[in-house]
Structures are given as C-alpha cells and as structure tokens.
Amino acid sequence: MSNPLRHLAIIMDGNGRWAKERGLRRIKGHEAGIETVRKVTEYCADHPEIETLTLYAFSTENWKRPKMEVDYLMHLLEKHIRLERERYMQHGIRFETIGNLSPFSQKLRKTLEETKALTASNRRLVQILALNYGGRDEIVRSVQRTLEAGEEINEANITRHLDTPYGDVDLMIRTSGEQRLSNFLLWQLSYAELAFTPTYWPDFSVEELENLIEQYKQRQRKFGGI
C-alpha cells in the first residue's frame, strides 16, 4: 500500500544562487521563485490527497541578510499575497501563516490577516507560509502557552499549542542541494520522510515534484517500528 500524503512541506532554497549564476541581482531570484510557488500550490490544490502545503518563506535567521534584500522581500511578499487573492478563491485555497508576525510592517500584517479572512472558507488546500518562523521558537512559545493555560507539559498539549494545528508532515522537500532542516517544523518533522534535490527553487517543476512524491509513495514508513 502506498503512503498517504496529506501534509507536504517545502524548504524553498536556491533563489539567490539561481540569480547569481545568471549574473542577476539576488532579488531577481526571489521574483522568479514566486512563479514556482504559484505552480506548486495549484498542483497541490488539484492533488487528490494533499490537504496542507507548508512553505518556508522567511526564517527567524533571515533577518541577518542585507537590509535592502530584506526590505525587498517584505515588499515582494505583500505584493504577492494581494495579487494571489483571486487565485486563492478560484482554486479553493485557504491561506494561513505560522511564525511571529509582530516585527512586520502594519501594512504587511494587514494584508496577511485580510487574506486569511477572505479565504477562511476555502477547503481544497491550506497553504501555510512560515514567516519569521523558527522551529525552536515555536516549541518554546507552545510550552509557554501550555503553562499559561495551566496545563500539564506533555506531548499532546505541546502539539495542541503549536502555531500550526494541521498535523505532522508526511513529506518534506528541500531544493538547491542543501541537506539540513534549518530550524523548520522540528516538532512536526519527527517522522516525516525527507527528500533533497539539487534543483534551485526557481527551476523546480511540477514534474520533479510528481517524481519525488512517487518515490515517497514507494518508501516504507516505520514510525519507530520494525
């Protein structure tokens, strides 16, 4: 029996290197990566099994990048989310975020929250953008929420107080050839299958995604058993 695939997570890596190899500014790589986000999201919305797609868009460590690049990323994100609203509605995609949004501008936070409200009733796919997100930070904040609620510190309660209540990840893909988790969904990836590809994110295709999913389907998932 093939493995079910309900939650797909992707570390979208390689935008900057894609641009550098073409003699372009790094921001051009981020712009090119937007189209890949669109294609992959639409594919997942049409997939018979996938319910949740979580994309690592901006980590807590990404603030270390040059200020000009960070500022442009914020501008690109706000513009992208506004432009995608019609597409979200057409394809039945519910938009969500995880991570600490408080450092973002009021304009960006408003755009994110308005888009969540607009798409809240969509049911074909939940697209989650991890923004100013770090797995360790999420776990710490979940423990704090558990304590504030006067609840026992156990696995069930910590899971319930995480940023995302959408369940464990089944398959995690990272593009660009890097083979590490980079503080992404550390709790939710505990028993996920991992796939790494040398393809830079702007060049990542639906066909390659299909191939990686097919490989995942053939794996034997043991969840700690024999």
Side-chain angles (χ1 to χ4, degrees):
M1 180 181 293
S2 64
N3 298 313
L5 177 56
R6 288 182 280 273
H7 190 170
L8 172 66
I10 302 178
I11 299 177
M12 307 178 292
D13 199 9
N15 290 340
R17 279 167 285 170
W18 180 91
K20 183 178 179 181
E21 289 183 5
R22 288 160 176 77
L24 303 171
R25 293 183 299 167
R26 286 176 58 87
I27 60 175
K28 293 299 181 182
H30 298 307
E31 290 175 356
I34 289 291
E35 182 57 31
T36 305
V37 170
R38 184 175 292 122
K39 290 186 293 186
V40 167
T41 300
E42 289 183 5
Y43 170 84
C44 291
D46 291 334
H47 195 279
E49 283 188 279
I50 299 174
E51 300 171 356
T52 305
L53 170 66
T54 302
L55 301 171
Y56 207 4
F58 192 86
S59 74
T60 51
E61 291 73 32
N62 286 156
W63 294 106
K64 300 174 185 176
R65 294 183 178 184
K67 184 178 185 300
M68 185 175 69
E69 181 179 351
V70 171
D71 289 345
Y72 185 78
L73 282 171
M74 297 299 106
H75 165 76
L76 188 62
L77 174 61
E78 199 273 332
K79 178 181 177 182
H80 167 70
I81 297 302
R82 280 192 290 104
L83 291 176
E84 289 301 289
R85 287 174 177 173
E86 183 176 351
R87 196 180 304 269
Y88 286 148
M89 302 307 294
Q90 289 175 346
H91 293 272
I93 298 167
R94 175 181 167 191
F95 173 76
E96 288 289 345
T97 66
I98 56 174
N100 179 12
L101 301 182
S102 62
F104 295 153
S105 69
Q106 183 178 357
K107 180 181 179 183
L108 176 53
R109 294 199 308 271
K110 181 179 179 182
T111 297
L112 295 172
E113 295 304 325
E114 287 178 348
T115 307
K116 291 179 190 180
L118 176 68
T119 63
S121 298
N122 293 342
R123 292 291 180 265
R124 288 178 66 186
L125 177 75
V126 179
Q127 183 209 61
I128 304 173
L129 293 189
L131 298 169
N132 192 31
Y133 173 86
R136 290 180 175 180
D137 178 62
E138 179 186 24
I139 293 170
V140 168
R141 287 186 286 107
S142 176
V143 171
Q144 290 173 337
R145 292 173 186 141
T146 302
L147 291 172
E148 289 169 0
E151 298 172 351
E152 179 184 354
I153 299 297
N154 57 40
E155 186 172 325
N157 287 336
I158 292 175
T159 298
R160 188 162 53 83
H161 287 289
L162 292 170
D163 290 350
T164 170
Y166 302 104
D168 288 346
V169 173
D170 295 305
L171 172 63
M172 192 285 291
I173 297 170
R174 181 170 188 155
T175 60
S176 88
E178 304 294 346
Q179 298 187 24
R180 55 181 179 269
L181 299 181
S182 296
N183 201 18
F184 182 48
L185 298 177
L186 299 180
W187 186 277
Q188 298 90 334
L189 286 173
S190 295
Y191 287 101
E193 296 294 315
L194 309 180
F196 303 99
T197 171
T199 305
Y200 294 145
W201 178 248
D203 289 331
F204 187 69
S205 66
V206 166
E207 291 74 22
E208 184 169 6
L209 175 57
E210 288 179 326
N211 289 335
L212 292 174
I213 289 175
E214 183 58 31
Q215 293 173 28
Y216 158 80
K217 289 287 187 178
Q218 303 307 314
R219 296 184 186 182
Q220 182 180 3
R221 302 186 73 187
K222 296 182 179 180
F223 298 97
I226 298 176

